[in-house]
Amino acid sequence: MTLIKLPSLLDPHVHIRDLAQSHKEDWDSGTAAALAGGYTCLLAMPNTTPPVTDTAALTQYQQAARSRARCDYGLYLGASDTNIETAASLAPQSCGLKMYLDQTFGPLRMEDLGSLMAHMQHWPADKPLCVHAEGRTVAAAILVAQLTGRAVHICHVSRKDEIELIHAAKDRGLDVTCEVTPHHLFLTAASPSPVGASSTGEGRGGGYREVRPRLATESDRLALWQHMAAIDCFATDHAPHTQSEKESGNPPPGFPGLETALALLLGAVHDGRLTLDDITLRMHTNVKRIFNLPDQPDAHVEIDPDLEWTVRAEELHTRCQWSPWEGQTLKGRVVRTVLRGQVACEYGKVLAQPGTGRDISNQQSTI
Ligand code: DOR
Ligand code: ZN
Ligand code: ZN
């Protein structure tokens, strides 16, 4: 067995839920999943209930995270059409601003071009600003960021035209960065079943396939690989919903991903499509730089690149208890995740306790 030591993983895009949606995930289960996946820091999205758009909600989430998180974290603020000044005033206590420009899970959606421009003008230039943008809103976000003289990060790019646009913008020297998820790198709308086949060979139903951005075409998927040079980060967009919710008449979009991301990408290393350096760059170095994350002393992950394991939902730490990769055998496994010199997880057993994670937004909290 050859163990390889890598810098610990940092995920800039995770949905932790908690509070009114603790049945899907909370800070305890979500950060346990993160440590099992090799992550020591995650940045949590604000499309929660309540959404993180004001001081009261931010304070509630700070308290929940402080008491339950097992790894380090940051909290995003959510942009709305009405919180432009409030968001900017709370910036020091958050890891970034998230703007939803297209429909997805939860009510946080900005409709107004004026609000997009105002947030880009008011949000501090030294703090990350991320957008959920699809198709034409990617172009809108890049243009307004350019006009307001600030950087913008495009979340979960999934389509050929989007990655081509971003690549062209980067070639022109525009201040744009982007992330891609493992599910958009490995699955398409035509994949047999994103949740693994049942014993009869059939998938478990359409609700499990719902995710935003939607799984795309093979040509879109291949374009992401062709434009790997333009992809700054791999982010999971870990978005847990329960099985009964996914099987309901109105299934919410989202896949869990924290516990499978690294193994899937190590599969691409085995296939010769990526190198370990590509992984470290996109799951550590670039995330740290773009999101301005502090050093985590004595943090690393040890992997066994050859260890094969089969994804079994009941062995995962995420509370949603299912995986798009259920039943699949992946090659490459996290053996140990170390944070602050302590073994936080070993062979899937999480040792770090709730409440030991720290808020990386270095300013004082509202608590
Ligand atoms: O599929 C998704 N689920 N995409 C998003 O943008 C949000 C996420 C969620 O919060 O469930
Ligand atoms: Zn999104
Ligand atoms: Zn998301």
Side-chain angles (χ1 to χ4, degrees):
M1 176 173 78
T2 322
L3 290 191
I4 297 176
K5 186 173 161 180
L6 301 176
S8 62
L9 309 182
L10 313 169
D11 193 341
H13 192 148
V14 173
H15 298 269
I16 286 291
R17 322 289 190 201
D18 209 298
L19 301 184
Q21 294 176 335
S22 295
H23 65 287
K24 298 175 193 270
E25 196 83 285
D26 70 4
W27 281 98
D28 180 343
S29 60
T31 53
L35 289 168
Y39 295 90
T40 54
C41 185
L42 57 81
L43 304 184
M45 286 294 164
N47 63 333
T48 43
T49 306
V52 186
T53 49
D54 57 21
T55 310
L58 179 62
T59 305
Q60 280 187 49
Y61 281 97
Q62 284 173 332
Q63 282 167 344
R66 181 180 288 185
S67 61
R68 290 192 270 283
R70 299 168 187 261
C71 71
D72 293 350
Y73 57 88
L75 300 178
Y76 282 100
L77 282 163
S80 76
D81 288 324
T82 56
N83 77 342
I84 291 140
E85 263 121 46
T86 305
S89 73
L90 292 171
Q93 295 161 59
S94 78
C95 64
L97 182 71
K98 176 70 183 283
M99 295 202 282
Y100 289 91
L101 304 184
D102 292 281
Q103 182 276 326
T104 184
F105 179 66
L108 264 190
R109 160 123 185 237
M110 283 204 333
E111 300 285 351
D112 196 27
L113 178 59
S115 316
L116 167 62
M117 297 203 290
H119 274 293
M120 288 222 179
Q121 277 159 352
H122 281 76
W123 184 253
D126 62 344
K127 278 270 173 178
L129 192 157
C130 305
V131 291
H132 177 126
E134 299 185 36
R136 289 174 292 180
T137 54
V138 176
I142 294 173
L143 176 65
V144 178
Q146 174 74 3
L147 294 179
T148 51
R150 59 156 311 123
V152 66
H153 179 80
I154 313 292
C155 296
H156 45 45
V157 177
S158 66
R159 309 190 89 93
K160 182 169 185 280
D161 49 5
E162 295 165 355
I163 196 66
E164 284 175 355
L165 184 83
I166 291 165
H167 207 157
K170 286 178 166 228
D171 284 347
R172 287 288 193 104
L174 271 56
D175 208 351
V176 54
T177 54
C178 72
E179 68 189 34
V180 167
T181 69
H183 49 270
H184 292 114
L185 282 173
F186 294 105
L187 296 173
T188 69
S191 297
S193 167
V195 285
S198 68
S199 53
T200 58
E202 282 165 17
R204 285 158 64 199
Y208 286 99
R209 309 181 74 95
E210 287 293 339
V211 67
R212 296 293 178 278
R214 289 185 169 83
L215 297 178
T217 65
E218 183 64 359
S219 140
D220 290 314
R221 192 184 75 83
L222 291 176
L224 298 180
W225 285 95
Q226 277 152 13
H227 289 273
M228 188 54 71
I231 298 173
D232 299 281
C233 310
F234 297 137
T236 62
D237 196 6
H238 176 86
H241 300 285
T242 64
Q243 297 183 71
S244 60
E245 290 164 344
K246 294 301 257 182
E247 286 165 16
S248 73
N250 187 19
F255 294 165
L258 282 166
E259 292 166 269
T260 45
L262 182 60
L264 288 162
L265 293 160
L266 288 172
V269 174
H270 283 290
D271 295 347
R273 285 185 288 168
L274 288 177
T275 64
L276 281 177
D277 284 349
D278 286 326
I279 290 185
T280 296
L281 185 69
R282 292 174 179 79
M283 299 176 95
H284 178 87
T285 318
N286 285 349
V287 184
K288 189 162 186 279
R289 174 178 53 81
I290 294 165
F291 293 87
N292 224 344
L293 302 180
D295 284 331
Q296 289 182 298
D298 271 328
H300 68 263
V301 59
E302 288 163 46
I303 58 164
D304 181 341
D306 299 316
L307 188 62
E308 295 195 353
W309 60 289
T310 301
V311 180
R312 305 244 179 259
E314 67 272 17
E315 290 168 15
L316 301 177
H317 295 82
T318 177
R319 189 157 292 158
C320 73
Q321 288 291 292
W322 70 278
S323 165
W325 318 98
E326 168 81 43
Q328 293 199 29
T329 298
L330 306 180
K331 191 171 176 185
R333 178 141 217 203
V334 174
V335 169
R336 215 166 272 115
T337 308
V338 175
L339 176 57
R340 286 183 272 282
Q342 308 281 318
V343 177
C345 182
E346 197 163 35
Y347 286 106
K349 187 171 165 39
V350 176
L351 303 167
Q353 292 303 304
T356 53
R358 296 186 189 163
D359 189 339
I360 53 81
S361 308
N362 40 27
Q363 318 288 323
Q364 83 284 12
S365 77
T366 53
I367 301 170

